[in-house]
């Protein structure tokens, strides 16, 4: 067996009636024995472990699930284990029941090539009832109008729907509630702006005081430094002019308030004062919040 240069080249076939020397032998992946080209298949050399890696699945008639049979285990034991642990009869209808078209009287089964989703109601239908009039499509859902005081609007509608209440009282109640809400928003905005203005003024005063102290302690040239951008100046006057021209001009000037415009939800007319908006709603729209 082999050659002088390669003494280990080639092996004998493990089949009893063959024993042929093959220089390119095949190793069986089940029984791990060596065979020649003729006896390399499982059937030719009668491999005892041919079904070792086979997968056999039995469909359970109770739950419609697949039960895999273990090669070295009795099928009856495998079946009994499945029935006692995994079997769920309620799953049988979910697996076997086929989805049908929701149109009354239609018995078409919805398959991959027979299903179309309606763009408006987003429900699957068959090809015959794919159009809106065929399945009585209710149409797309209407989006609710955006209103800044939705809570106030809902409360006013509830109060108007109550019996034994005059329309004038409901209108005055809605106007009072709207006025209170607008006054609260305006007061909070003014308080925030005044607080911001005070803080900016304090920071600017602290920066000026620090610059005065530094100029009195050190009389050298180029010792004054801007506390915001770090630029250096030869005198305090130049530094103050720099802060007023550069940093206050960029939006940090105290005392400047932004103008807030409130828009009427019915005619889209703008008002700077919420009180004027309420008076406009009462005068021009009857004091109701219904659109």
């Amino acid at each position: 067996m082999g050659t002088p240069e390669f003494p280990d080249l080639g092996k004998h076939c493990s089949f009893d009636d063959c024993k042929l020397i093959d220089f390119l032998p095949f190793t069986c992946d089940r029984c791990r024995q060596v065979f020649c080209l003729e006896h390399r298949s499982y059937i030719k050399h009668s491999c005892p472990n041919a079904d070792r890696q086979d997968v056999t699945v039995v469909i359970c008639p109770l739950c419609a699930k697949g039960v895999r049979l273990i090669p070295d285990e009795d099928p009856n034991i495998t079946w009994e284990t499945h029935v006692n642990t995994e079997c769920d009869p309620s799953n049988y209808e979910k697996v076997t029941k086929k989805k049908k078209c929701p149109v009354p009287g239609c018995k078409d089964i919805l398959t991959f090539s027979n299903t179309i989703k309606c763009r408006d109601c987003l429900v699957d239908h068959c090809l015959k009832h794919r159009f809106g009039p065929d399945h009585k499509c209710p149409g797309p859902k209407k989006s609710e109008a955006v209103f800044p005081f939705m809570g106030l609007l809902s409360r006013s509608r509830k109060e108007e729907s109550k019996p034994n209440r005059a329309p004038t009282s409901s209108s005055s109640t809605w106007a009072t509630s709207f006025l209170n809400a607008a006054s609260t928003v305006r007061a909070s905005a003014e308080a925030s702006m005044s607080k911001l203005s005070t803080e900016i003024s304090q920071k600017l005063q602290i920066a000026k005081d620090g610059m005065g102290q530094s100029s009195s302690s050190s009389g050298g040239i180029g010792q004054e430094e801007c506390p915001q951008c770090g630029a250096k100046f030869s005198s305090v006057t130049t530094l103050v002019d720099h802060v007023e021209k550069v940093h206050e001009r960029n939006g940090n000037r105290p005392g400047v308030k932004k103008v807030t415009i409130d828009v009427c939800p019915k005619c889209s007319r703008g008002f700077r004062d919420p009180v004027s908006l309420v008076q406009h709603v009462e005068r021009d729209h009857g004091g109701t919040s219904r659109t």
Side-chain angles (χ1 to χ4, degrees), residues 99-104 106 108-132 134-138:
K99 189 176 180 181
K100 296 183 179 180
C101 181
V103 177
C106 183
D108 290 351
I109 299 175
L110 298 181
T111 59
F112 176 78
S113 59
N114 190 32
T115 303
I116 293 181
K117 184 186 293 281
C118 180
R119 295 181 297 178
D120 296 333
C121 61
L122 302 179
V123 179
D124 294 336
H125 295 84
C126 63
L127 293 177
K128 294 186 298 183
H129 303 98
R130 63 184 181 273
F131 298 110
D134 297 334
H135 62 267
K136 297 180 180 179
C137 182

Side-chain angles (χ1 to χ4, degrees), residues 33-205:
Q33 293 185 5
V34 178
F35 297 95
C36 62
L37 178 63
E38 182 181 357
H39 300 98
R40 73 180 189 279
S41 63
Y42 303 143
I43 299 175
K44 290 293 183 178
H45 67 268
S46 302
C47 184
N49 300 329
D51 58 348
R52 177 70 62 181
Q53 298 181 1
D54 291 349
V55 178
T56 304
V57 179
V58 179
I59 304 299
C60 177
L62 301 178
C63 62
K65 291 183 179 180
V67 181
R68 181 178 178 179
L69 301 181
I70 302 175
D72 296 337
E73 188 178 26
D74 188 4
N76 295 325
I77 298 177
T78 306
W79 177 260
E80 184 177 359
T81 303
H82 164 72
V83 172
N84 295 332
T85 57
E86 303 179 329
C87 190
D88 185 11
S90 62
N91 188 55
Y92 182 82
E93 185 177 358
K94 298 179 183 179
V95 175
T96 57
K97 186 177 181 180
K98 297 180 180 179
K99 189 176 180 181
K100 296 183 179 180
C101 181
V103 177
C106 183
K107 298 182 180 180
D108 290 351
I109 299 175
L110 298 181
T111 59
F112 176 78
S113 59
N114 190 32
T115 303
I116 293 181
K117 184 186 293 281
C118 180
R119 295 181 297 178
D120 296 333
C121 61
L122 302 179
V123 179
D124 294 336
H125 295 84
C126 63
L127 293 177
K128 294 186 298 183
H129 303 98
R130 63 184 181 273
F131 298 110
D134 297 334
H135 62 267
K136 297 180 180 179
C137 182
K141 295 182 179 180
K142 297 182 180 180
S143 58
E144 298 181 356
V146 180
F147 191 71
F149 301 96
M150 291 304 297
L152 179 61
L153 180 62
S154 61
R155 288 197 301 269
S156 63
R157 287 182 177 177
K158 290 181 181 179
E159 292 177 357
E160 291 177 0
S161 62
K162 291 182 180 179
N164 300 328
R165 185 179 294 269
T168 56
S169 62
S170 63
S171 175
S172 61
T173 303
W174 180 86
T176 305
S177 302
F178 194 92
L179 181 61
N180 294 335
S183 301
T184 304
V185 173
R186 181 180 180 182
S188 61
E190 291 179 354
S192 301
M193 291 299 298
S194 62
K195 183 179 179 181
L196 180 60
S197 176
T198 304
E199 292 181 355
I200 293 176
S201 301
Q202 292 178 357
K203 296 294 183 181
L204 183 59
Q205 186 64 30

